Amino acid sequence: MRGAPRNQRGGSSIAAVAVLAVLGIAGAVALLDDGKPDVDLTTLAASSTHSTISTAPLDTQPFAGTDGVVVHPRSEAAVFSAPDGGPFAKIGTAQFGATWLPVVERADGWVRVLLPSKPNRSTGWLVDEDLDHASSAYVIRVHTGSRTLELYEGAKRLGKWKAGVGAQKTPTPPGRTFLLGSIIDPKRSASPVVLPLGAHSPTLDTFGGGPGTVAIHGWPRPDVFGAAVSAGCVRVPQTALDKLQRVPLGTLVLIDSR
């Protein structure tokens, strides 16, 4: 939603909210004159890699592909439980770089996206016209059973590499997620390049001072590639990381046990 919170824009919206309250319509959302939901964003928790939004609806097709469409909120936007349903969170314009989210479902004037917050596989609905749209032809596939990572552009496989994945007690979480950001920090000796995903460790609340965000990154020792040794992250050779750095944010990442 652009600009000030919707309920600061005039008497008609406030009156509509009052009518809904009198009628006792639980979870109802008033509409502005332009038909958009009237939401006070200051009352909503932000969906980010640092937050847990327990009321978020979970992904019902966690291993399905998408058509590659990704969206970016032009300004902080409300996230809804369903088209014309109640708001339960908000999403900002930046996470680790600009916020780009994969679209997993559509309805008239709405899109359902994967979210970066806990629990894993969280989703939410956004008003479509408040978003910028783009498309990623790429898909990253992580197979924890064979401990490999594949990068596809459309139907063409650009590469396959042995990868280090989560150990038995700190597994890499299965399901579809997405490339949330790209971090370059020369001070990181293990891997100056880190690609955070919109997924989190299922067993660790924090790791290395962070919130337990799962990422793809490099590693200085090759013996980890093809082994289940990490705290949940996916460790890849430099040749893989060089290609993955060129993949757009919001790109779908599919993690399975193959």
Side-chain angles (χ1 to χ4, degrees):
M1 304 296 168
R2 292 188 289 274
R6 296 297 187 187
N7 66 359
Q8 297 177 6
R9 292 193 176 185
S12 61
S13 297
I14 295 173
V17 173
V19 169
L20 291 172
V22 170
L23 293 176
I25 302 177
V29 177
L31 300 179
L32 295 173
D33 293 338
D34 60 7
K36 293 183 180 180
D38 177 30
V39 179
D40 183 354
L41 294 177
T42 64
T43 65
L44 299 174
S47 174
S48 78
T49 195
H50 295 276
S51 62
T52 298
I53 311 292
S54 59
T55 53
L58 299 184
D59 190 2
T60 57
Q61 300 184 66
F63 297 98
T66 70
D67 60 5
V69 173
V70 295
V71 293
H72 166 69
R74 299 189 194 101
S75 62
E76 191 172 57
V79 184
F80 296 81
S81 59
D84 302 319
F88 65 87
K90 59 187 174 184
I91 188 79
T93 61
Q95 304 280 331
F96 302 100
T99 300
W100 285 95
L101 308 169
V103 173
V104 298
E105 190 177 352
R106 293 178 179 82
D108 186 25
W110 297 80
V111 293
R112 189 180 189 180
V113 298
L114 300 181
L115 296 175
S117 46
K118 295 180 182 180
N120 286 328
R121 304 181 184 178
S122 291
T123 70
W125 291 86
L126 301 173
V127 177
D128 196 18
E129 67 178 63
D130 291 337
L131 308 169
D132 292 327
H133 294 70
S135 182
S136 173
Y138 297 90
V139 176
I140 300 168
R141 295 181 178 271
V142 178
H143 309 299
T144 58
S146 59
R147 300 165 188 172
T148 56
L149 180 146
E150 297 177 290
L151 174 62
Y152 285 84
E153 183 178 12
K156 180 181 179 182
R157 190 170 74 179
L158 301 181
K160 180 179 181 180
W161 302 270
K162 283 290 185 179
V165 298
Q168 184 176 1
K169 293 183 178 180
T170 54
T172 302
R176 62 180 171 183
T177 181
F178 60 100
L179 189 61
L180 180 61
S182 178
I183 300 172
I184 301 177
D185 184 357
K187 297 179 181 178
R188 294 176 180 266
S189 59
S191 179
V193 176
V194 177
L195 306 177
L197 306 181
H200 308 82
S201 168
T203 58
L204 299 174
D205 292 327
T206 182
F207 180 78
T213 304
V214 171
I216 300 173
H217 57 75
W219 201 255
R221 298 195 324 272
D223 59 297
V224 304
F225 306 133
V229 293
S230 80
C233 288
V234 181
R235 302 172 181 176
V236 297
Q238 188 61 46
T239 53
L241 200 57
D242 290 342
K243 290 184 180 293
L244 293 169
Q245 274 188 276
R246 298 195 287 269
V247 172
L249 298 186
T251 291
L252 189 68
V253 178
L254 293 169
I255 303 172
D256 61 40
S257 59
R258 287 169 40 199

